[in-house]
Amino acid sequence: MPEAAPPPLPLLAAASSPAAAQLQRARRRQHQRRGWRRPRGLLAWGSLVAFFFVMNWWMFSRLQDPAARPHFRLRRHPPRADSAASNSSSLSTLEEVAGAAKGKGAHRVMLTRLLALAAHALAEAETRPEPIDLWEEPINATLWKPCSDQREWEASDGTNGYIMISANGGINQQRVAICNAVTISRLLNATLVLPKFLYSNVWLDKSQFGDIYQEDYFINYLKSDIRIVKDLPVELQSLDLEAIGSIVNDTDVMKEAKPSLYVKKILPILLRNRVVHFIGFGNRLSFDPIPSDLQKLRCRCNFHALRFVQKIQEMGALLVDRLHGLRPPLSPLKDNLLGQFAVKSASSANKSDASKYLAVHLRFEIDMVAYSLCYFGGGKDEEDELEAYRQIHFPVLTELKRMAKLPSAAFLRSEGKCPLAPEEAVLMLAAIGFKRSTNIYIAGAEIYGGRHRMAAISRLYPSLVTKETLLSPSELEPFRNFSSQLAALDFIACAAADAFAMTDPGSQFSSLVQGYRMYYGGGNLPTIRPNKRRLASILVKNATIEWQEFETRVRKLIQQTKQVHERPVARSIFRHPRCPECMCRTEH
């Protein structure tokens, strides 16, 4: 029998020496402790990453309503009447833009070479016609007609109990939550109590449903679908909903949950306690799969049942009138947005008499800029300012930056993850053919960098206005301190615009405006929606690209995003209503 191999020398030493054996046992215990610490460390790291993603979603949801915050103020400059004045003005614009770029402070504009080229191109373009498709949608957009107001069912009696919601966020999140609650009420054969809005330390607005939307119109319009009451019955008002398990938070229902989850989890609570109260309820219902009649109800709620109160309609009509110069003819969109205040005036029956305007939704607020981790040309001053903001408002992101290597600012920009700065937005507008004299309405929150950052766009397009410059202080006074009501005015101005440009396709405000224009526009209300990743690949050539090539590439990019197609699976019907549940396709 072969002899066994000798044990390793360390083991021989351990076997022959009690002290060595004790040392060996100590080492084994230390090794075990290290083994325990490693998984614990991994667990802690995993928990940190998971927490970051939760915070990421929460903070991003806070950024979804930029139109609801205070706005910057811009002075309106009337456009020049003659081309000579226009040319001289544009030459001074070239100098002003270059001067702004060299100015002191953290908010120096980027892309100064392209901005200079744009100034010359705009001066030369004043005498040429605009591109033929600038203010139009593709011809096949006219084939889709609104039809979600058509019903093929009997009203539910709502006998299974009462559904309450307290919606969070700003006006855009609240609107989505309302229509999802209507749909869930029909699904569960429940009576909907008129929705409430949670007070937010972000939006600082105490407005409730009746301050923004017409309560009676909402109830009556949907009475053929669901039963809606203004208050919970007296006998149920004394219930401790938390004690009986009738409070449902966002943590209890996953984001974009399927209808089957509500039938399985929520219906038993409703039948047992007669009432369920949803707190938050942000994006808590899927877009697919869902029965087509429920999807149609959700469209009907968003595009037909929610009408602004008369105070908002009246001021919105005044805003649109001043933007158009003269009131254009009545349209289904204006009838829905403005109600009785959209009545056509006899002196402006012809739309050709009214001037066109472009609405632009800029998303370049300090919280959005800081959270993006992108760089916007301001040097160390900008970096220090944004880092200080992150430490206060995004501490988790600051900690993650310290502990892990995050993507560089250059990489984020190349992937289209950075907010479009005002100078990037104005280059896009100039490239696709909007003339210098174009009337532009700016919707959005307080721009990071203020007037300094807005120098390029306000000088290349002097006919630039906001609701603060179009409406007098006394006209705006009833809306002050009500950010959601102010956002409703921006919504009206953007939805009614002859063309609408967004700078962030992920914005819920822009998404709702786009959907509204698509539903009611009859194929005549184009929306400009840039692919930021592809736009970044063009803008990065600022130092070498010539204007003609830049113009050609940007126009091609925008034309591709204007293509008419049916709503992709699982995409929002609020943003993409071109689908059989919301709109009907005609043959010609």
Side-chain angles (χ1 to χ4, degrees), residues 26-319:
R27 286 175 176 170
R28 282 198 298 270
R29 285 196 298 271
Q30 185 179 21
H31 179 73
Q32 289 173 346
R33 285 196 297 271
R34 286 177 180 170
W36 277 104
R37 280 199 299 269
R38 190 174 293 110
R40 286 176 181 171
L42 291 173
L43 182 62
W45 174 248
S47 300
L48 177 63
V49 172
F51 181 65
F52 166 71
F53 279 110
V54 171
M55 289 298 293
N56 176 64
W57 166 81
W58 178 69
M59 288 310 306
F60 190 76
S61 69
R62 291 178 61 188
L63 305 180
Q64 285 297 306
D65 257 312
R69 300 178 199 143
H71 286 58
F72 61 89
R73 297 180 64 84
L74 288 174
R75 185 163 46 92
R76 182 169 190 174
H77 305 276
R80 302 296 178 92
D82 57 274
S83 58
S86 177
N87 287 335
S88 63
S89 178
S90 292
L91 291 175
S92 65
T93 295
L94 171 59
E95 298 169 359
E96 290 171 338
V97 168
K102 297 175 183 176
K104 297 179 180 179
H107 307 294
R108 296 190 296 269
V109 298
M110 306 179 292
L111 306 167
T112 52
R113 177 180 173 273
L114 272 175
L115 287 170
L117 295 177
H120 282 300
L122 286 172
E124 294 174 356
E126 280 299 300
T127 57
R128 297 197 302 264
E130 291 177 323
I132 192 169
D133 61 345
L134 190 61
W135 301 91
E136 298 176 355
E137 287 193 80
I139 187 65
N140 55 340
T142 61
L143 301 179
W144 291 89
K145 307 295 182 184
C147 63
S148 67
D149 56 335
Q150 301 172 11
R151 296 173 172 86
E152 298 176 356
W153 60 18
E154 298 295 326
S156 65
D157 53 20
T159 54
N160 282 345
Y162 293 84
I163 285 180
M164 305 170 62
I165 71 159
S166 294
N168 60 6
I171 187 174
N172 305 314
Q173 292 96 325
Q174 291 165 353
R175 190 181 187 100
V176 172
I178 291 167
C179 293
N180 285 345
V182 166
T183 308
I184 294 302
S185 297
R186 174 73 194 203
L187 173 69
L188 303 182
N189 189 25
T191 296
L192 177 65
V193 180
L194 203 67
K196 303 289 185 184
F197 298 155
L198 294 173
Y199 179 78
S200 168
N201 290 328
V202 177
W203 313 123
L204 303 175
D205 188 346
K206 296 180 180 179
S207 297
Q208 287 299 321
F209 188 99
D211 298 312
I212 300 173
Y213 303 110
Q214 297 179 30
E215 292 182 351
D216 291 337
Y217 185 90
F218 178 74
I219 294 171
N220 291 330
Y221 191 87
L222 293 173
K223 67 182 180 181
S224 298
D225 301 298
I226 63 170
R227 181 170 176 257
I228 304 174
V229 296
K230 292 187 177 181
D231 297 294
L232 201 63
V234 176
E235 65 271 18
L236 298 179
Q237 292 179 9
S238 59
L239 290 176
D240 186 336
L241 298 184
E242 186 172 7
I244 64 175
S246 282
I247 298 290
V248 179
N249 293 298
D250 279 355
T251 53
D252 301 316
V253 179
M254 70 176 67
K255 189 177 180 181
E256 297 191 3
K258 296 179 181 179
S260 57
L261 181 140
Y262 288 92
V263 174
K264 182 178 180 181
K265 290 187 62 175
I266 305 303
L267 183 58
I269 301 174
L270 186 67
L271 293 173
R272 182 176 65 248
N273 299 335
R274 297 184 62 198
V275 59
V276 169
H277 188 180
F278 291 100
I279 306 291
F281 207 58
N283 296 315
R284 284 306 185 268
L285 181 61
S286 66
F287 291 104
D288 291 297
I290 185 172
S292 61
D293 53 357
L294 291 179
Q295 192 81 289
K296 180 173 284 191
L297 174 59
R298 187 151 57 171
C299 287
R300 187 153 57 244
C301 170
N302 181 56
F303 296 113
H304 293 276
L306 289 173
R307 289 205 170 189
F308 293 124
V309 294
Q310 290 190 2
K311 179 180 81 169
I312 293 175
Q313 288 182 337
E314 182 176 18
M315 200 55 59
L318 189 61
L319 199 59

Side-chain angles (χ1 to χ4, degrees), residues 352-367:
S352 63
D353 294 335
S355 60
K356 294 179 180 178
Y357 76 93
L358 165 70
V360 180
H361 181 216
L362 285 178
R363 291 200 72 198
F364 200 72
E365 311 81 21
I366 188 170
D367 48 3

